[in-house]
C-alpha cells in the first residue's frame, strides 16, 4: 500500500530517486519493474508491474466511446526499471505531458503512485481546498 507524499528533484538526465519506503515496495511487488503513464489530471501514474497489468486489463475492456481514454493511458505507457541506485528515468515525453521540469511531488495512492510537478500539485490542491469539502466527505468521521 503506497501512501504519503515526498518532495523530490529530477536530475539533469530526468531521473527521479524513489524514496526507500516506496522503492522497497516496488522491489517486492514488481521486482523493480514499473510502468509510468500519463493521466489527464496533469500528473503521471506510476504502477508496480502487477498493479499495472490489472489496470491495463480494465482500461482495455472499456467500451468504444472511451477509446481516447485507452489511448491516453495505454498509448503513453512506458515500461521502466529501477536502476541500481533506486532511480527511474522519466522520459522527456512524459515529463512534458505532466509539465515536470525539476521539482516533483510523489504521492502514494494505495495501489500506485502519482508523480506531479510540485507547483502544479500545489495549485491544484489549493483549488480543491477552496472549493470546499465534497458531499461524500461531509459524512466522513475524522
Amino acid at each position: 500500500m503506497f501512501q504519503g507524499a515526498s518532495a523530490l528533484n529530477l536530475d539533469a538526465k530526468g531521473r527521479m530517486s524513489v524514496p526507500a519506503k516506496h522503492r522497497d515496495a516496488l522491489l517486492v511487488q514488481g521486482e523493480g519493474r514499473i510502468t509510468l503513464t500519463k493521466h489527464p489530471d496533469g500528473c503521471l501514474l506510476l504502477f508496480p508491474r502487477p498493479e499495472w497489468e490489472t489496470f491495463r486489463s480494465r482500461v482495455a475492456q472499456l467500451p468504444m466511446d472511451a477509446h481516447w481514454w485507452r489511448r491516453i493511458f495505454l498509448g503513453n505507457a512506458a515500461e521502466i526499471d529501477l536502476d541500481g541506485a533506486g532511480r527511474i528515468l522519466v522520459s522527456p515525453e512524459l515529463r512534458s505531458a505532466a509539465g515536470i521540469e525539476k521539482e516533483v511531488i510523489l504521492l502514494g495512492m494505495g495501489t500506485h503512485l502519482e508523480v506531479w510537478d510540485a507547483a502544479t500539485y500545489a495549485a491544484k490542491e489549493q483549488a480543491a481546498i477552496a472549493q470546499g469539502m465534497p458531499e461524500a466527505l461531509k459524512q466522513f468521521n475524522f
Side-chain angles (χ1 to χ4, degrees), residues 99-137:
I100 295 171
E101 293 185 24
K102 184 163 180 68
E103 296 179 357
V104 299
I105 298 293
L106 185 66
L107 288 178
M109 299 299 292
T111 60
H112 64 282
L113 297 144
E114 292 181 348
V115 183
W116 287 89
D117 170 73
T120 301
Y121 178 78
K124 288 191 178 231
E125 182 182 74
Q126 286 303 313
I129 291 169
Q131 286 181 346
M133 196 171 287
E135 221 30 65
L137 283 178

Side-chain angles (χ1 to χ4, degrees), residues 13-118:
K13 294 180 180 179
R15 295 176 299 195
M16 178 181 74
S17 289
V18 177
K21 65 181 178 178
H22 297 315
R23 183 180 333 128
D24 294 345
L26 290 168
L27 288 169
V28 168
Q29 286 186 332
E31 299 172 349
R33 298 175 10 224
I34 296 164
T35 300
L36 195 61
T37 193
K38 69 180 183 178
H39 189 282
D41 282 348
C43 66
L44 301 176
L45 300 175
L46 189 156
F47 292 91
R49 193 66 45 88
E51 290 294 339
W52 167 253
E53 290 169 1
T54 300
F55 180 80
R56 178 182 62 196
S57 294
R58 289 177 47 216
V59 171
Q61 294 173 13
L62 291 172
M64 280 304 293
D65 64 352
H67 68 274
W68 271 105
W69 293 99
R70 280 194 304 274
R71 288 181 178 121
I72 290 167
F73 292 121
L74 304 182
N76 291 286
E79 295 182 354
I80 53 180
D81 295 315
L82 279 168
D83 69 11
R87 300 172 298 196
I88 59 166
L89 176 63
V90 182
S91 72
E93 296 84 6
L94 288 175
R95 289 194 312 263
S96 177
I100 295 171
E101 293 185 24
K102 184 163 180 68
E103 296 179 357
V104 299
I105 298 293
L106 185 66
L107 288 178
M109 299 299 292
T111 60
H112 64 282
L113 297 144
E114 292 181 348
V115 183
W116 287 89
D117 170 73

